[in-house]
Amino acid sequence: MKKILFLLVLILLARVAVVFSPELSIFRLSSAIRHRDVQLFEKYADVHSVAQNLVHDQIAGPITGVFGSDGVGGWLTNGINNAVGPALVTGLEKEIRSAVFDGAFNPDHPDDNSLVTVYRFQKELGFDQFAYSGMKYGDRQVLGEKAQLSLSYVRAADGYELVVKVELIKAPGEYIWKVSRILNPELVMEELRNHPAPASAATAVAPTYLPG
């Protein structure tokens, strides 16, 4: 009897671990994007943190590379962040929500060459030719209330793989993991620019950016 009860507890724990896992948040975000559901999207993505972290990383990266993170480098980073950071963060938050609401990540989104949109930007980079292929579970990291997942995308034309790393956080006492940072946006853009699709791969694939 004790053994059966022990096995049942293990099964229940395993199911809870799946229900409350960082991976589930990625699947829920996929559903939000497909259905253009901004409210559901914000349940599993901390839009403010994503925008704030991206702005900070883009400002701090070049400065730190030249001046370091302490002393002058820290002073410059803080000064620029305080001066222009809030406006950039607010603008980026609005762009993220608009992209989800407008269906900019969906294959049926209209292609308007006259507009600089998320859809046009990803097409120019060639990311529309990549499809989600799975998570790299060997790279999975969970430490306390913070997790890191690696999402693999493959270009059908030549099998070229891109890995997008995301950070998720869970507030104390909460059970939902939220995406808070894209960890390697510059590397992804660099790889897209340096490894363009072969000439035969002119058409986009159905953009399955996330599991679904």
PDB file of all heavy atoms in Angstrom, residues 165-194:
ATOM      1  N   LYS A 165      17.642  31.712 -27.285  1.00  0.00           N
ATOM      2  CA  LYS A 165      17.649  31.455 -25.846  1.00  0.00           C
ATOM      3  C   LYS A 165      16.745  32.460 -25.142  1.00  0.00           C
ATOM      4  O   LYS A 165      16.840  33.663 -25.392  1.00  0.00           O
ATOM      5  CB  LYS A 165      19.073  31.552 -25.293  1.00  0.00           C
ATOM      6  CG  LYS A 165      20.027  30.488 -25.847  1.00  0.00           C
ATOM      7  CD  LYS A 165      21.414  30.633 -25.239  1.00  0.00           C
ATOM      8  CE  LYS A 165      22.371  29.600 -25.783  1.00  0.00           C
ATOM      9  NZ  LYS A 165      22.013  28.235 -25.368  1.00  0.00           N
ATOM     10  N   VAL A 166      15.875  31.948 -24.282  1.00  0.00           N
ATOM     11  CA  VAL A 166      14.962  32.815 -23.546  1.00  0.00           C
ATOM     12  C   VAL A 166      15.088  32.568 -22.047  1.00  0.00           C
ATOM     13  O   VAL A 166      15.401  31.452 -21.611  1.00  0.00           O
ATOM     14  CB  VAL A 166      13.487  32.600 -23.979  1.00  0.00           C
ATOM     15  CG1 VAL A 166      13.300  32.968 -25.435  1.00  0.00           C
ATOM     16  CG2 VAL A 166      13.056  31.156 -23.732  1.00  0.00           C
ATOM     17  N   GLU A 167      14.865  33.615 -21.298  1.00  0.00           N
ATOM     18  CA  GLU A 167      14.878  33.533 -19.840  1.00  0.00           C
ATOM     19  C   GLU A 167      13.446  33.662 -19.341  1.00  0.00           C
ATOM     20  O   GLU A 167      12.673  34.482 -19.845  1.00  0.00           O
ATOM     21  CB  GLU A 167      15.735  34.641 -19.252  1.00  0.00           C
ATOM     22  CG  GLU A 167      15.799  34.659 -17.729  1.00  0.00           C
ATOM     23  CD  GLU A 167      16.575  35.849 -17.213  1.00  0.00           C
ATOM     24  OE1 GLU A 167      15.970  36.923 -17.048  1.00  0.00           O
ATOM     25  OE2 GLU A 167      17.788  35.702 -16.972  1.00  0.00           O
ATOM     26  N   LEU A 168      13.087  32.845 -18.371  1.00  0.00           N
ATOM     27  CA  LEU A 168      11.772  32.919 -17.751  1.00  0.00           C
ATOM     28  C   LEU A 168      11.939  33.107 -16.253  1.00  0.00           C
ATOM     29  O   LEU A 168      12.899  32.607 -15.666  1.00  0.00           O
ATOM     30  CB  LEU A 168      10.951  31.650 -18.015  1.00  0.00           C
ATOM     31  CG  LEU A 168      10.666  31.297 -19.474  1.00  0.00           C
ATOM     32  CD1 LEU A 168      11.726  30.352 -20.011  1.00  0.00           C
ATOM     33  CD2 LEU A 168       9.278  30.681 -19.630  1.00  0.00           C
ATOM     34  N   ILE A 169      11.010  33.839 -15.659  1.00  0.00           N
ATOM     35  CA  ILE A 169      11.053  34.056 -14.215  1.00  0.00           C
ATOM     36  C   ILE A 169       9.708  33.677 -13.602  1.00  0.00           C
ATOM     37  O   ILE A 169       8.671  33.686 -14.276  1.00  0.00           O
ATOM     38  CB  ILE A 169      11.388  35.518 -13.858  1.00  0.00           C
ATOM     39  CG1 ILE A 169      10.379  36.476 -14.499  1.00  0.00           C
ATOM     40  CG2 ILE A 169      12.805  35.869 -14.264  1.00  0.00           C
ATOM     41  CD1 ILE A 169      10.548  37.921 -14.086  1.00  0.00           C
ATOM     42  N   LYS A 170       9.750  33.340 -12.332  1.00  0.00           N
ATOM     43  CA  LYS A 170       8.535  33.012 -11.597  1.00  0.00           C
ATOM     44  C   LYS A 170       8.567  33.795 -10.296  1.00  0.00           C
ATOM     45  O   LYS A 170       9.498  33.650  -9.501  1.00  0.00           O
ATOM     46  CB  LYS A 170       8.480  31.509 -11.331  1.00  0.00           C
ATOM     47  CG  LYS A 170       7.217  31.049 -10.637  1.00  0.00           C
ATOM     48  CD  LYS A 170       7.149  29.523 -10.532  1.00  0.00           C
ATOM     49  CE  LYS A 170       8.271  28.973  -9.678  1.00  0.00           C
ATOM     50  NZ  LYS A 170       8.110  27.519  -9.401  1.00  0.00           N
ATOM     51  N   ALA A 171       7.560  34.610 -10.083  1.00  0.00           N
ATOM     52  CA  ALA A 171       7.513  35.417  -8.868  1.00  0.00           C
ATOM     53  C   ALA A 171       7.318  34.515  -7.657  1.00  0.00           C
ATOM     54  O   ALA A 171       6.662  33.473  -7.746  1.00  0.00           O
ATOM     55  CB  ALA A 171       6.377  36.437  -8.957  1.00  0.00           C
ATOM     56  N   PRO A 172       7.908  34.877  -6.512  1.00  0.00           N
ATOM     57  CA  PRO A 172       7.735  34.076  -5.299  1.00  0.00           C
ATOM     58  C   PRO A 172       6.267  33.856  -4.977  1.00  0.00           C
ATOM     59  O   PRO A 172       5.470  34.797  -4.975  1.00  0.00           O
ATOM     60  CB  PRO A 172       8.416  34.934  -4.224  1.00  0.00           C
ATOM     61  CG  PRO A 172       9.414  35.751  -4.966  1.00  0.00           C
ATOM     62  CD  PRO A 172       8.779  36.044  -6.304  1.00  0.00           C
ATOM     63  N   GLY A 173       5.898  32.611  -4.739  1.00  0.00           N
ATOM     64  CA  GLY A 173       4.513  32.290  -4.429  1.00  0.00           C
ATOM     65  C   GLY A 173       3.636  32.069  -5.644  1.00  0.00           C
ATOM     66  O   GLY A 173       2.503  31.611  -5.525  1.00  0.00           O
ATOM     67  N   GLU A 174       4.144  32.395  -6.836  1.00  0.00           N
ATOM     68  CA  GLU A 174       3.390  32.196  -8.067  1.00  0.00           C
ATOM     69  C   GLU A 174       3.760  30.848  -8.680  1.00  0.00           C
ATOM     70  O   GLU A 174       4.762  30.239  -8.326  1.00  0.00           O
ATOM     71  CB  GLU A 174       3.692  33.316  -9.066  1.00  0.00           C
ATOM     72  CG  GLU A 174       3.234  34.689  -8.613  1.00  0.00           C
ATOM     73  CD  GLU A 174       1.730  34.817  -8.595  1.00  0.00           C
ATOM     74  OE1 GLU A 174       1.070  34.148  -9.414  1.00  0.00           O
ATOM     75  OE2 GLU A 174       1.210  35.579  -7.752  1.00  0.00           O
ATOM     76  N   TYR A 175       2.959  30.382  -9.616  1.00  0.00           N
ATOM     77  CA  TYR A 175       3.251  29.114 -10.278  1.00  0.00           C
ATOM     78  C   TYR A 175       3.432  29.258 -11.789  1.00  0.00           C
ATOM     79  O   TYR A 175       3.795  28.306 -12.465  1.00  0.00           O
ATOM     80  CB  TYR A 175       2.141  28.093  -9.997  1.00  0.00           C
ATOM     81  CG  TYR A 175       0.775  28.502 -10.498  1.00  0.00           C
ATOM     82  CD1 TYR A 175       0.364  28.176 -11.796  1.00  0.00           C
ATOM     83  CD2 TYR A 175      -0.108  29.205  -9.691  1.00  0.00           C
ATOM     84  CE1 TYR A 175      -0.879  28.555 -12.262  1.00  0.00           C
ATOM     85  CE2 TYR A 175      -1.352  29.585 -10.153  1.00  0.00           C
ATOM     86  CZ  TYR A 175      -1.739  29.252 -11.439  1.00  0.00           C
ATOM     87  OH  TYR A 175      -2.961  29.633 -11.905  1.00  0.00           O
ATOM     88  N   ILE A 176       3.167  30.445 -12.318  1.00  0.00           N
ATOM     89  CA  ILE A 176       3.279  30.662 -13.763  1.00  0.00           C
ATOM     90  C   ILE A 176       4.656  31.236 -14.088  1.00  0.00           C
ATOM     91  O   ILE A 176       5.092  32.231 -13.509  1.00  0.00           O
ATOM     92  CB  ILE A 176       2.190  31.620 -14.270  1.00  0.00           C
ATOM     93  CG1 ILE A 176       0.809  30.965 -14.124  1.00  0.00           C
ATOM     94  CG2 ILE A 176       2.430  32.006 -15.724  1.00  0.00           C
ATOM     95  CD1 ILE A 176      -0.339  31.864 -14.521  1.00  0.00           C
ATOM     96  N   TRP A 177       5.339  30.605 -15.018  1.00  0.00           N
ATOM     97  CA  TRP A 177       6.614  31.112 -15.510  1.00  0.00           C
ATOM     98  C   TRP A 177       6.334  32.117 -16.633  1.00  0.00           C
ATOM     99  O   TRP A 177       5.506  31.868 -17.506  1.00  0.00           O
ATOM    100  CB  TRP A 177       7.458  29.970 -16.069  1.00  0.00           C
ATOM    101  CG  TRP A 177       7.974  29.029 -15.028  1.00  0.00           C
ATOM    102  CD1 TRP A 177       7.356  27.917 -14.543  1.00  0.00           C
ATOM    103  CD2 TRP A 177       9.232  29.112 -14.351  1.00  0.00           C
ATOM    104  NE1 TRP A 177       8.138  27.306 -13.600  1.00  0.00           N
ATOM    105  CE2 TRP A 177       9.298  28.004 -13.463  1.00  0.00           C
ATOM    106  CE3 TRP A 177      10.308  30.000 -14.408  1.00  0.00           C
ATOM    107  CZ2 TRP A 177      10.399  27.765 -12.644  1.00  0.00           C
ATOM    108  CZ3 TRP A 177      11.396  29.766 -13.589  1.00  0.00           C
ATOM    109  CH2 TRP A 177      11.441  28.673 -12.722  1.00  0.00           C
ATOM    110  N   LYS A 178       7.045  33.238 -16.597  1.00  0.00           N
ATOM    111  CA  LYS A 178       6.870  34.269 -17.625  1.00  0.00           C
ATOM    112  C   LYS A 178       8.193  34.538 -18.336  1.00  0.00           C
ATOM    113  O   LYS A 178       9.239  34.667 -17.692  1.00  0.00           O
ATOM    114  CB  LYS A 178       6.371  35.579 -16.997  1.00  0.00           C
ATOM    115  CG  LYS A 178       4.936  35.539 -16.526  1.00  0.00           C
ATOM    116  CD  LYS A 178       4.480  36.938 -16.122  1.00  0.00           C
ATOM    117  CE  LYS A 178       2.998  36.961 -15.788  1.00  0.00           C
ATOM    118  NZ  LYS A 178       2.521  38.345 -15.536  1.00  0.00           N
ATOM    119  N   VAL A 179       8.131  34.642 -19.645  1.00  0.00           N
ATOM    120  CA  VAL A 179       9.319  35.024 -20.408  1.00  0.00           C
ATOM    121  C   VAL A 179       9.677  36.459 -20.049  1.00  0.00           C
ATOM    122  O   VAL A 179       8.819  37.350 -20.070  1.00  0.00           O
ATOM    123  CB  VAL A 179       9.067  34.908 -21.924  1.00  0.00           C
ATOM    124  CG1 VAL A 179      10.242  35.470 -22.712  1.00  0.00           C
ATOM    125  CG2 VAL A 179       8.820  33.445 -22.312  1.00  0.00           C
ATOM    126  N   SER A 180      10.929  36.689 -19.692  1.00  0.00           N
ATOM    127  CA  SER A 180      11.345  38.019 -19.256  1.00  0.00           C
ATOM    128  C   SER A 180      12.480  38.602 -20.090  1.00  0.00           C
ATOM    129  O   SER A 180      12.738  39.798 -20.039  1.00  0.00           O
ATOM    130  CB  SER A 180      11.801  37.986 -17.791  1.00  0.00           C
ATOM    131  OG  SER A 180      12.906  37.101 -17.637  1.00  0.00           O
ATOM    132  N   ARG A 181      13.164  37.755 -20.857  1.00  0.00           N
ATOM    133  CA  ARG A 181      14.309  38.260 -21.614  1.00  0.00           C
ATOM    134  C   ARG A 181      14.635  37.332 -22.779  1.00  0.00           C
ATOM    135  O   ARG A 181      14.563  36.109 -22.652  1.00  0.00           O
ATOM    136  CB  ARG A 181      15.534  38.362 -20.691  1.00  0.00           C
ATOM    137  CG  ARG A 181      16.756  39.013 -21.340  1.00  0.00           C
ATOM    138  CD  ARG A 181      18.017  38.830 -20.486  1.00  0.00           C
ATOM    139  NE  ARG A 181      17.930  39.473 -19.186  1.00  0.00           N
ATOM    140  CZ  ARG A 181      18.456  40.655 -18.898  1.00  0.00           C
ATOM    141  NH1 ARG A 181      19.120  41.314 -19.823  1.00  0.00           N
ATOM    142  NH2 ARG A 181      18.355  41.164 -17.690  1.00  0.00           N
ATOM    143  N   ILE A 182      14.969  37.938 -23.904  1.00  0.00           N
ATOM    144  CA  ILE A 182      15.577  37.193 -25.008  1.00  0.00           C
ATOM    145  C   ILE A 182      17.078  37.342 -24.810  1.00  0.00           C
ATOM    146  O   ILE A 182      17.608  38.454 -24.830  1.00  0.00           O
ATOM    147  CB  ILE A 182      15.160  37.749 -26.378  1.00  0.00           C
ATOM    148  CG1 ILE A 182      13.631  37.846 -26.479  1.00  0.00           C
ATOM    149  CG2 ILE A 182      15.728  36.881 -27.496  1.00  0.00           C
ATOM    150  CD1 ILE A 182      12.924  36.520 -26.375  1.00  0.00           C
ATOM    151  N   LEU A 183      17.756  36.242 -24.616  1.00  0.00           N
ATOM    152  CA  LEU A 183      19.148  36.299 -24.176  1.00  0.00           C
ATOM    153  C   LEU A 183      20.148  36.533 -25.299  1.00  0.00           C
ATOM    154  O   LEU A 183      21.245  37.041 -25.042  1.00  0.00           O
ATOM    155  CB  LEU A 183      19.506  35.002 -23.433  1.00  0.00           C
ATOM    156  CG  LEU A 183      18.756  34.775 -22.111  1.00  0.00           C
ATOM    157  CD1 LEU A 183      18.976  33.363 -21.609  1.00  0.00           C
ATOM    158  CD2 LEU A 183      19.216  35.787 -21.062  1.00  0.00           C
ATOM    159  N   ASN A 184      19.825  36.173 -26.530  1.00  0.00           N
ATOM    160  CA  ASN A 184      20.827  36.267 -27.601  1.00  0.00           C
ATOM    161  C   ASN A 184      20.307  36.908 -28.883  1.00  0.00           C
ATOM    162  O   ASN A 184      20.543  36.390 -29.984  1.00  0.00           O
ATOM    163  CB  ASN A 184      21.386  34.877 -27.915  1.00  0.00           C
ATOM    164  CG  ASN A 184      20.313  33.919 -28.412  1.00  0.00           C
ATOM    165  OD1 ASN A 184      19.122  34.105 -28.150  1.00  0.00           O
ATOM    166  ND2 ASN A 184      20.733  32.893 -29.146  1.00  0.00           N
ATOM    167  N   PRO A 185      19.588  38.050 -28.820  1.00  0.00           N
ATOM    168  CA  PRO A 185      19.043  38.637 -30.049  1.00  0.00           C
ATOM    169  C   PRO A 185      20.113  39.074 -31.042  1.00  0.00           C
ATOM    170  O   PRO A 185      19.940  38.917 -32.252  1.00  0.00           O
ATOM    171  CB  PRO A 185      18.226  39.831 -29.535  1.00  0.00           C
ATOM    172  CG  PRO A 185      18.851  40.175 -28.219  1.00  0.00           C
ATOM    173  CD  PRO A 185      19.273  38.861 -27.639  1.00  0.00           C
ATOM    174  N   GLU A 186      21.211  39.623 -30.543  1.00  0.00           N
ATOM    175  CA  GLU A 186      22.267  40.088 -31.455  1.00  0.00           C
ATOM    176  C   GLU A 186      22.905  38.919 -32.201  1.00  0.00           C
ATOM    177  O   GLU A 186      23.200  39.012 -33.396  1.00  0.00           O
ATOM    178  CB  GLU A 186      23.328  40.869 -30.681  1.00  0.00           C
ATOM    179  CG  GLU A 186      22.834  42.221 -30.185  1.00  0.00           C
ATOM    180  CD  GLU A 186      23.948  43.024 -29.546  1.00  0.00           C
ATOM    181  OE1 GLU A 186      25.023  42.458 -29.282  1.00  0.00           O
ATOM    182  OE2 GLU A 186      23.743  44.226 -29.316  1.00  0.00           O
ATOM    183  N   LEU A 187      23.124  37.808 -31.505  1.00  0.00           N
ATOM    184  CA  LEU A 187      23.723  36.636 -32.141  1.00  0.00           C
ATOM    185  C   LEU A 187      22.791  36.065 -33.201  1.00  0.00           C
ATOM    186  O   LEU A 187      23.237  35.669 -34.288  1.00  0.00           O
ATOM    187  CB  LEU A 187      24.029  35.568 -31.084  1.00  0.00           C
ATOM    188  CG  LEU A 187      24.659  34.267 -31.601  1.00  0.00           C
ATOM    189  CD1 LEU A 187      25.980  34.554 -32.301  1.00  0.00           C
ATOM    190  CD2 LEU A 187      24.862  33.278 -30.455  1.00  0.00           C
ATOM    191  N   VAL A 188      21.482  36.048 -32.913  1.00  0.00           N
ATOM    192  CA  VAL A 188      20.513  35.546 -33.886  1.00  0.00           C
ATOM    193  C   VAL A 188      20.526  36.414 -35.145  1.00  0.00           C
ATOM    194  O   VAL A 188      20.559  35.910 -36.272  1.00  0.00           O
ATOM    195  CB  VAL A 188      19.095  35.504 -33.271  1.00  0.00           C
ATOM    196  CG1 VAL A 188      18.044  35.233 -34.345  1.00  0.00           C
ATOM    197  CG2 VAL A 188      19.025  34.427 -32.188  1.00  0.00           C
ATOM    198  N   MET A 189      20.516  37.740 -34.964  1.00  0.00           N
ATOM    199  CA  MET A 189      20.541  38.638 -36.110  1.00  0.00           C
ATOM    200  C   MET A 189      21.833  38.486 -36.910  1.00  0.00           C
ATOM    201  O   MET A 189      21.818  38.501 -38.145  1.00  0.00           O
ATOM    202  CB  MET A 189      20.367  40.084 -35.646  1.00  0.00           C
ATOM    203  CG  MET A 189      18.975  40.401 -35.127  1.00  0.00           C
ATOM    204  SD  MET A 189      18.769  42.121 -34.622  1.00  0.00           S
ATOM    205  CE  MET A 189      19.016  42.965 -36.169  1.00  0.00           C
ATOM    206  N   GLU A 190      22.950  38.329 -36.208  1.00  0.00           N
ATOM    207  CA  GLU A 190      24.238  38.152 -36.884  1.00  0.00           C
ATOM    208  C   GLU A 190      24.245  36.866 -37.717  1.00  0.00           C
ATOM    209  O   GLU A 190      24.719  36.852 -38.858  1.00  0.00           O
ATOM    210  CB  GLU A 190      25.358  38.109 -35.845  1.00  0.00           C
ATOM    211  CG  GLU A 190      26.753  38.011 -36.448  1.00  0.00           C
ATOM    212  CD  GLU A 190      27.836  37.992 -35.389  1.00  0.00           C
ATOM    213  OE1 GLU A 190      27.555  38.384 -34.234  1.00  0.00           O
ATOM    214  OE2 GLU A 190      28.958  37.573 -35.714  1.00  0.00           O
ATOM    215  N   GLU A 191      23.697  35.794 -37.143  1.00  0.00           N
ATOM    216  CA  GLU A 191      23.664  34.531 -37.877  1.00  0.00           C
ATOM    217  C   GLU A 191      22.748  34.625 -39.090  1.00  0.00           C
ATOM    218  O   GLU A 191      23.052  34.075 -40.153  1.00  0.00           O
ATOM    219  CB  GLU A 191      23.206  33.400 -36.952  1.00  0.00           C
ATOM    220  CG  GLU A 191      24.239  33.008 -35.915  1.00  0.00           C
ATOM    221  CD  GLU A 191      23.977  31.641 -35.321  1.00  0.00           C
ATOM    222  OE1 GLU A 191      23.545  30.732 -36.059  1.00  0.00           O
ATOM    223  OE2 GLU A 191      24.204  31.479 -34.113  1.00  0.00           O
ATOM    224  N   LEU A 192      21.623  35.304 -38.951  1.00  0.00           N
ATOM    225  CA  LEU A 192      20.713  35.464 -40.084  1.00  0.00           C
ATOM    226  C   LEU A 192      21.363  36.250 -41.208  1.00  0.00           C
ATOM    227  O   LEU A 192      21.185  35.940 -42.391  1.00  0.00           O
ATOM    228  CB  LEU A 192      19.428  36.165 -39.621  1.00  0.00           C
ATOM    229  CG  LEU A 192      18.459  35.324 -38.791  1.00  0.00           C
ATOM    230  CD1 LEU A 192      17.381  36.204 -38.181  1.00  0.00           C
ATOM    231  CD2 LEU A 192      17.816  34.240 -39.646  1.00  0.00           C
ATOM    232  N   ARG A 193      22.129  37.274 -40.845  1.00  0.00           N
ATOM    233  CA  ARG A 193      22.799  38.084 -41.868  1.00  0.00           C
ATOM    234  C   ARG A 193      23.959  37.333 -42.523  1.00  0.00           C
ATOM    235  O   ARG A 193      24.184  37.447 -43.722  1.00  0.00           O
ATOM    236  CB  ARG A 193      23.316  39.378 -41.241  1.00  0.00           C
ATOM    237  CG  ARG A 193      22.226  40.354 -40.806  1.00  0.00           C
ATOM    238  CD  ARG A 193      22.825  41.720 -40.516  1.00  0.00           C
ATOM    239  NE  ARG A 193      21.822  42.665 -40.046  1.00  0.00           N
ATOM    240  CZ  ARG A 193      21.702  43.081 -38.811  1.00  0.00           C
ATOM    241  NH1 ARG A 193      22.524  42.610 -37.885  1.00  0.00           N
ATOM    242  NH2 ARG A 193      20.777  43.940 -38.458  1.00  0.00           N
ATOM    243  N   ASN A 194      24.695  36.568 -41.718  1.00  0.00           N
ATOM    244  CA  ASN A 194      25.881  35.886 -42.232  1.00  0.00           C
ATOM    245  C   ASN A 194      25.590  34.548 -42.903  1.00  0.00           C
ATOM    246  O   ASN A 194      26.452  33.996 -43.588  1.00  0.00           O
ATOM    247  CB  ASN A 194      26.895  35.660 -41.095  1.00  0.00           C
ATOM    248  CG  ASN A 194      27.456  36.956 -40.555  1.00  0.00           C
ATOM    249  OD1 ASN A 194      27.445  37.980 -41.235  1.00  0.00           O
ATOM    250  ND2 ASN A 194      27.937  36.938 -39.326  1.00  0.00           N
TER     251      ASN A 194
END
